[in-house]
Amino acid sequence: MVDNFPHHIAIIMDGNGRWAERRGLPRIVGHRAGIKAAEKVVKASQDLGVKILTLYTFSTENWKRPKKEVSALLKILADFLRKDNRHILKYNIRLKIIGRIDELPSALRISLSRVIETTKNNTGLIVNLALNYGGRLEIVDAVRKIARDVLKGGLLQENIDEEIFSRYLYTAGLPDPDIIIRTGGEFRLSNFLLWQASYSEFYVSRKLWPDFTRRDLKLAIDTFKRRERRFGGVV
Ligand code: IPE
Ligand code: IPE
Ligand code: MG
């Protein structure tokens, strides 16, 4: 759909650690505050009529962090999904995930599959969590699946085009994000949606993720509405 509303918003939720450090608190406190911010942004997205919200929650590179931070972060995520199931149902949200899910701790995988199963027929906002997600790995995984299908004879090499390739990505069936918002002030993709971001508008907020509010989301949407998207053409 080409109009001036961002139907698919993707967010690089960055700055939890700095938010906590500035308060002299452990980084994990920032991650907890980050979940609260995510909850508010999910509700705001639903109210504003966004169709898909992709949230960069844990990257394939984030395993490099201290083990304690990684396990605490994945645990609070699993706990949240287990306890706030009902809230998600109430808002008619449908949960999806993109990433190497089989490499996540089992408690988190169980919580995720439960919520995905219970929300699969919901018709409201799609919340798409990028978890153990890496853009390069996603492309490599797609190439592997394509090679397998070509070898099996189910796919002809000469038929592979951008459309077919997209169907092998974790995001198969989802439109590309209209806008990618990054909080925390840094101007980089950090391996997020490399293929899908080709024509996304980029918006950086200096606010740290736990401080990002409904108003900030509205501001990003309003900025998007004023952008002129040319997709390589002339207007
Ligand atoms: C983003 O916040 C959350 C994750 C990457 C999991 P950070 O933890 O990266 O926060 P900063 O960038 O160190 O402040
Ligand atoms: C990107 O943030 C990943 C997530 C928000 C999940 P990082 O904090 O990992 O990115 P870098 O290290 O600053 O590039
Ligand atoms: Mg960061």
Side-chain angles (χ1 to χ4, degrees), residues 133-173:
Y133 174 89
R136 286 191 168 184
L137 199 59
E138 178 182 33
I139 293 169
V140 168
D141 279 349
V143 171
R144 282 190 190 173
K145 284 186 243 161
I146 288 173
R148 191 194 55 203
D149 283 357
V150 170
L151 282 173
K152 277 198 307 197
L155 179 66
L156 289 174
Q157 178 212 309
E158 56 269 32
N159 286 348
I160 302 168
D161 58 12
E162 291 182 17
E163 218 275 301
I164 302 265
F165 191 86
S166 303
R167 288 192 219 154
Y168 284 86
L169 294 168
Y170 306 145
T171 49

Side-chain angles (χ1 to χ4, degrees), residues 71-84:
S71 55
L73 170 61
L74 298 178
K75 187 177 179 304
I76 56 167
L77 202 61
D79 289 349
F80 172 79
L81 287 167
R82 210 179 53 241
K83 290 179 197 143
D84 283 80

